[in-house]
Amino acid sequence: MTTTTIGLQTPRTWQVSSEAQALMEKFPPRLVFGAWPRTRESRVVLEGRMAVAPFRGDDSQSRCHRKASLQAVLDWLELYPGQSWQQRWQATGAGRDGQRDWRLQVLADLATAGLLDRHPGYARKILGTGLIQLIGGDYLRPSVGWLMATASPLRIANEMAKVRDPDGIAELRTARLAGTVGDSTMIPAIEKIALVMAAKGGLVCNVTIGDCLELMRISREVFPGPTRSGRHSPVFYQLLHSTGLFPADAPPTVRMFSPVFAGQVPVEQLVDRYQVTCRPVRDLLVEYLRERQPAIDYGTLTSLATTLVLWFWKDLERHHPGIDSLRLSPETASAWKQRIRTKVVRSRGADGEITETTVERDTATDALTTVRSFYLDLAQWALDDPGRWGQWAVPCPIRATDIQHKKMNSRRKARMDQRTRDRLPVLPALVEAVGRERKAAAGRLAAARAAQPGDTFTVDGVTLRLAQLARHSPRIWAEEPATGRRRDLIREEDNAFWAWAAVEVLRMTGVRVEELTELSHHSLVQYRTPATGELIPLLQIPPSKTDEERLLVISPELADVLSAIVCRIRNSDGSVPLVVAYDHHEKVWNPPIPLLFQRTIALEIRPIPIAGIRVLVSDALARTGLTDVTGKPLDFAPHDFRRIFTTDAIMNGMPPHIAQLLLGHKDINTTMGYKAVYPEEAINGHRAFIARRRGLRPSEEYRHPSDAEWDEFLGHFERRRLALGDCGRAYGTNCIHEHSCVRCPLLRVDPEQRHRLIEIRTNLTARIAEAEREGWLGEADGLRVSLAAAKEKLAQVDGAIQRREAAVNLGMPTFATIAGRNTAIDPADHRAAE
């Protein structure tokens, strides 16, 4: 075989998905014409129009300044040929490169023509005002790219609001004040809309979707590479979309045109992005991936391409220049396997010196398996189609012994089990922490909204001062009095709520994180049993990894969380907003659906992505200060909740095959691999030991109870009923607190008996006053203990009532109603059962 070099095209800086390409063809930008009526007007007519409102200045100094600058620019333009002011502008060549200062050319041309009658420094300062008058009057239409790159003129929106479209710009500024985005983002967005008006003409209502898309493309061409200044911000599109200026079929989100969401690319591009040198091998890799493509998803396809092209063949070309065959010598194969098993990690020490450490690569076994499958597939396909694949059927350099699946699985199992055991005990602390932080953040936000700028307020032990802002901001900023650091309380409350919601749903359902982000309002379904007519709330999990839907019973606790989420995201009319989500695995845009995990970003409602869920959980965990056994900060991945859910379910008696259905596993061994409990042999041995020990115990302990014993057992629960509620003492035990029920922690007060607690509290207060008056100090001390216990019980009752009233009724049965129905047994059914 001969080695040839592939001529690769330079990667485009503006690469969008096929869906975006179709939309760009559907919504093209407006054409820029070389001439229009206004630009053909004479200088006399132009100056006459500029001397009256709205172009005229507000005072004499402003009028003089605007007139002098306009005349200087007109004198310069008249030095160049053309039938219109636009043609003269194009003839100057100043509008071709916005990086150069066009004012230097103006000064040089005017000086050469003897028309520079002012000081060059003063003339340079006023030239921008003259040009912006011609742009606002629609005599000149510079290109969008030039307007974005030039340093003068700036702040075109102010001129457009004065002379071109006062109502349109005012509507945009009104939407800016009503939105949730600050001036630092919204003012540049309005400026971008003004740039489109300057380059294309017309009013704000004339700006089209194609104009916006063209502006975004030109922005990345003028300012290539990443930027933190917000130059590529799409808020201007969201602003126009929110004001209702676009048609109903407009793209719901401008993110569809971002190169970050490039969509699916052809197999050829997946291979060519790594610039393979050997053309025959490159063509083989393309054909192999195309052959595998129908049977795998796009995420697997990209992973397969990365492993075969980058980690395998490109690595061989880098270390063995000129290689052109899949038949590898033992030395070459051994060297590649050694490189793939290890990687070099660079770290910077305290002294600033960079050190390199060779560590074992976790994904080495997966890469070896992929390459081995590649060779074996070629050998198998060569038997079926020798003409196409026969020349590539060579011995596989990776033997079965090179891939130690059992050892790898054992290590992974041990690592995951240890990870689960470390996190299972701290899960209650994490749940309590995120719940406390959610309430504290909501309290700080409510206190800040009720305060005035400069006021201090304290919530949950944290003292803040409401910031005094120099300009408008829809956010609520508070300062720490000690350090002066500002905090966005709206963002803190939003992050705290969604961190709490993510943790609660993940731990109570065991769903995958991608399934969490795909939960929608349609996922809340109901099932009514045919026999009893009982209504059971269910959560429908969308298909993800196994492409199979499944249903989970919604517990009362989970119903409260889902209710809080729905109440937070719903519109004023009660509907849940439709959002467009991007499938990061298939690289496609999903249709608009009412997702549960959504939040407002700038002026657009967006779904919370998988990476966003990970960040929310990590930040919430960092605020708790929890550590692992080594003292390092503990980390929680979303998948850890799935393993903890499985372990907790099986340890509490759930049959493994039921857990398999709940988790959506195709193989029960996968479910058993999730549980971090003792091995099966230990469990069976322990159960056998218990059975042998039970056989040695007196048989009287396993006899059937008599009627008298059974009546005594039932009577125990009847005797626990008290005036204030129920006693929670264990069966067979007597009251050890001498019936001081108010002080007893086992008393469970019925909320309906709250008035009795108030009477007890009032009576105790009066008795304490009497004891102090009579000098009965011992009696007073005992009564104070009872009074404190009564107040504690009253607080518990108030908390239970508040939680019950705060819950939103979704038409689903609560735990109390379910328990009430289940305990109401018909006597006839009881006799039939006997």
Side-chain angles (χ1 to χ4, degrees):
M1 299 181 184
T2 58
T3 302
T4 58
T5 302
I6 305 174
L8 298 176
Q9 297 180 353
T10 303
R12 295 182 299 172
T13 58
W14 178 260
Q15 181 175 328
V16 296
S17 63
S18 57
E19 299 163 314
Q21 291 287 357
L23 288 172
M24 294 174 70
E25 295 176 0
K26 181 180 179 181
F27 300 102
R30 288 180 291 169
L31 298 177
V32 179
F33 299 98
W36 55 96
R38 185 69 69 185
T39 190
R40 295 194 184 98
E41 291 181 353
S42 64
R43 177 168 182 168
V44 176
V45 176
L46 186 155
E47 291 181 339
R49 180 170 176 243
M50 292 294 171
V52 298
F55 299 93
R56 185 180 180 183
D58 297 332
D59 50 43
S60 59
Q61 182 179 2
S62 174
R63 288 193 292 271
C64 179
H65 179 77
R66 290 174 67 89
K67 181 178 180 180
S69 62
L70 177 64
Q71 289 178 348
V73 175
L74 293 177
D75 291 341
W76 171 62
L77 291 175
E78 286 183 334
L79 297 177
Y80 291 88
Q83 300 298 321
S84 64
W85 298 108
Q86 179 70 11
Q87 292 178 359
R88 295 186 181 99
W89 165 256
Q90 294 175 349
T92 62
R96 297 174 186 173
D97 185 6
Q99 305 296 336
R100 295 184 293 111
D101 192 345
W102 62 277
R103 293 171 296 182
L104 300 178
Q105 179 182 348
V106 175
L107 296 177
D109 292 344
L110 292 178
T112 302
L115 300 176
L116 187 62
D117 55 352
R118 296 177 181 272
H119 189 274
Y122 173 76
R124 184 173 182 269
K125 291 181 179 180
I126 66 173
L127 289 178
T129 304
L131 186 63
I132 203 173
Q133 291 181 76
L134 295 177
I135 295 174
D138 202 20
Y139 295 101
L140 296 182
R141 294 179 181 176
S143 65
V144 174
W146 185 85
L147 289 170
M148 296 181 69
T150 185
S152 175
L154 298 175
R155 293 179 291 277
I156 298 180
N158 293 333
E159 185 72 14
M160 292 294 180
K162 178 181 179 182
V163 305
R164 177 78 68 87
D165 189 7
D167 296 336
I169 300 295
E171 184 178 0
L172 296 178
R173 288 173 174 170
T174 302
R176 169 180 67 87
L177 297 176
T180 60
V181 183
D183 288 352
S184 60
T185 301
M186 294 297 289
I187 291 178
I190 298 177
E191 287 292 335
K192 288 184 178 181
I193 298 173
L195 292 184
V196 177
M197 297 168 58
K200 299 296 180 96
L203 309 178
V204 173
C205 61
N206 300 128
V207 177
T208 66
I209 299 173
D211 295 339
C212 297
L213 302 182
E214 183 184 45
L215 176 61
M216 293 179 60
R217 177 182 58 81
I218 294 177
S219 174
R220 293 192 175 274
E221 292 176 353
V222 174
F223 304 105
T227 176
R228 298 182 180 179
S229 60
R231 287 192 174 118
H232 306 326
S233 173
V235 176
F236 74 98
Y237 179 90
Q238 302 170 10
L239 182 59
L240 291 171
H241 197 286
S242 64
T243 55
L245 297 178
F246 289 158
D249 58 344
T253 172
V254 77
R255 294 182 299 127
M256 299 179 67
F257 304 94
S258 172
V260 178
F261 310 99
Q264 297 186 3
V265 298
V267 174
E268 292 81 1
Q269 293 188 23
L270 291 178
V271 176
D272 290 344
R273 61 184 175 180
Y274 299 117
Q275 301 182 352
V276 177
T277 304
C278 181
R279 181 75 187 198
V281 174
R282 177 263 181 194
D283 295 340
L284 169 67
L285 294 172
V286 170
E287 289 298 319
Y288 176 79
L289 293 175
R290 189 179 287 117
E291 192 75 15
R292 292 287 311 274
Q293 187 174 8
I296 57 179
D297 56 39
Y298 185 76
T300 305
L301 180 67
T302 56
S303 177
L304 193 62
T306 301
T307 302
L308 293 179
V309 184
L310 177 63
W311 298 115
F312 175 59
W313 187 254
K314 190 62 181 177
D315 181 84
L316 290 175
E317 287 188 340
R318 187 163 49 249
H319 291 86
H320 305 278
I323 186 173
D324 58 359
S325 174
L326 295 180
R327 187 184 295 271
L328 306 182
S329 64
E331 296 78 11
T332 302
S334 177
W336 176 79
K337 286 184 282 188
Q338 180 61 29
R339 290 194 300 270
I340 203 64
R341 288 193 178 99
T342 59
K343 63 179 179 180
V344 177
V345 177
R346 296 177 176 86
S347 59
R348 186 182 298 274
D351 55 355
E353 222 174 282
I354 298 178
T355 59
E356 295 184 353
T357 307
T358 302
V359 298
E360 185 177 354
R361 193 189 301 271
D362 296 334
T363 58
T365 303
D366 297 332
L368 292 173
T369 303
T370 301
V371 176
R372 177 175 169 80
S373 300
F374 170 63
Y375 274 87
L376 296 182
D377 285 341
L378 294 179
Q380 179 64 38
W381 297 349
L383 297 177
D384 301 331
D385 190 356
R388 183 182 180 187
W389 307 103
Q391 60 177 330
W392 303 106
V394 296
C396 179
I398 303 172
R399 300 180 179 86
T401 55
D402 293 333
I403 307 175
Q404 301 177 359
H405 288 287
K406 186 175 181 179
K407 182 178 180 181
M408 178 190 66
N409 294 335
S410 299
R411 287 183 176 179
R412 181 184 294 125
K413 171 66 174 169
R415 187 171 63 253
M416 291 297 100
D417 286 355
Q418 185 60 40
R419 184 180 178 92
T420 302
R421 294 190 190 100
D422 291 342
R423 284 151 183 78
L424 183 57
V426 301
L427 181 60
L430 174 60
V431 173
E432 180 184 359
V434 295
R436 184 174 61 252
E437 177 62 22
R438 172 206 172 198
K439 295 178 181 178
R444 289 193 295 267
L445 181 59
R449 283 174 171 165
Q452 297 296 327
D455 294 347
T456 59
F457 53 93
T458 303
V459 177
D460 197 26
V462 178
T463 301
L464 298 175
R465 180 177 58 247
L466 191 62
Q468 296 180 346
L469 304 179
R471 59 181 181 179
H472 165 75
S473 175
R475 319 298 292 183
I476 297 181
W477 295 92
E479 300 172 344
E480 296 177 354
T483 62
R485 185 176 69 92
R486 284 191 174 182
R487 298 166 57 173
D488 185 352
L489 299 186
I490 293 181
R491 181 184 295 273
E492 287 186 3
E493 190 276 336
D494 192 59
N495 290 342
F497 175 85
W498 288 116
W500 167 81
V503 170
E504 291 290 343
V505 176
L506 286 172
R507 78 174 182 90
M508 287 191 285
T509 61
V511 297
R512 304 178 180 92
V513 64
E514 57 267 22
E515 295 170 342
L516 176 76
T517 58
E518 294 173 2
L519 290 177
S520 69
H521 198 218
H522 301 313
S523 301
L524 306 176
V525 297
Q526 298 175 350
Y527 172 73
R528 191 178 297 275
T529 58
T532 63
E534 182 181 0
L535 190 66
I536 301 177
L538 300 175
L539 184 64
Q540 187 177 16
I541 307 301
S544 60
K545 190 173 182 179
T546 58
D547 292 334
E548 293 181 1
E549 292 184 343
R550 62 186 190 277
L551 296 172
L552 302 178
V553 178
I554 298 179
S555 64
E557 295 82 4
L558 179 59
D560 291 341
V561 177
L562 297 177
S563 173
I565 294 175
V566 172
C567 292
R568 185 180 184 88
I569 65 176
R570 63 174 32 159
N571 296 319
S572 57
D573 59 355
S575 62
V576 176
L578 303 179
V579 294
V580 180
Y582 183 73
D583 191 334
H584 288 272
H585 294 284
E586 291 295 335
K587 306 297 182 183
V588 295
W589 289 94
N590 296 324
I593 52 177
L595 295 177
L596 295 182
F597 282 80
Q598 57 174 271
R599 65 198 305 185
T600 301
I601 303 296
L603 298 176
E604 180 184 357
I605 301 178
R606 298 182 184 178
I608 302 179
I610 296 175
I613 297 295
R614 292 194 177 100
V615 171
L616 288 172
V617 175
S618 299
D619 292 346
L621 189 66
R623 289 191 294 267
T624 62
L626 295 175
T627 58
D628 56 15
V629 294
T630 62
K632 297 180 180 179
L634 191 66
D635 66 307
F636 250 94
H639 210 73
D640 290 329
F641 295 97
R642 184 171 172 84
R643 296 182 180 274
I644 292 175
F645 174 84
T646 308
T647 301
D648 184 66
I650 295 180
M651 288 180 63
N652 285 278
M654 178 179 288
H657 66 282
I658 300 298
Q660 175 192 357
L661 296 177
L662 295 181
L663 295 173
H665 290 153
K666 289 186 175 181
D667 188 359
I668 196 173
N669 292 324
T670 304
T671 305
M672 299 304 294
Y674 271 40
K675 66 176 182 64
V677 293
Y678 293 108
E680 184 179 0
E681 295 79 8
I683 296 176
N684 293 336
H686 193 191
R687 293 180 61 187
F689 166 75
I690 294 175
R692 291 193 301 271
R693 187 180 62 178
R694 181 174 297 173
L696 298 176
R697 295 181 67 87
S699 60
E700 289 79 8
E701 296 183 4
Y702 301 98
R703 62 180 175 81
H704 292 284
S706 63
D707 294 340
E709 291 172 337
W710 184 250
D711 292 339
E712 192 278 333
F713 174 75
L714 296 178
H716 162 79
F717 297 99
E718 294 177 358
R719 289 190 295 272
R720 292 196 305 179
R721 186 63 181 170
L722 305 173
L724 293 176
D726 293 303
C727 178
R729 68 178 184 270
Y731 169 72
T733 59
N734 296 320
C735 180
I736 61 175
H737 301 102
E738 299 180 355
H739 298 282
S740 300
C741 297
V742 175
R743 299 184 182 183
C744 181
L746 297 179
L747 174 64
R748 296 295 180 264
V749 182
D750 186 356
E752 301 296 334
Q753 305 301 325
R754 184 177 182 275
H755 64 281
R756 293 181 179 272
L757 268 178
I758 295 177
E759 293 175 359
I760 293 175
R761 183 187 62 181
T762 305
N763 179 266
L764 287 172
T765 303
R767 292 177 61 188
I768 291 173
E770 180 186 5
E772 292 176 345
R773 185 173 61 252
E774 299 295 336
W776 304 333
L777 301 182
E779 183 75 11
D781 291 341
L783 292 174
R784 289 192 188 96
V785 175
S786 298
L787 179 60
K791 291 181 178 179
E792 181 181 359
K793 290 291 189 299
L794 188 60
Q796 295 175 1
V797 172
D798 291 340
I801 295 175
Q802 183 180 5
R803 290 192 298 271
R804 185 174 61 185
E805 293 178 350
V808 178
N809 186 8
L810 298 180
M812 302 178 182
T814 61
F815 180 78
T817 57
I818 293 175
R821 285 200 300 269
N822 290 341
T823 55
I825 302 176
D826 192 347
D829 296 338
H830 183 68
R831 289 192 299 269
E834 292 178 348

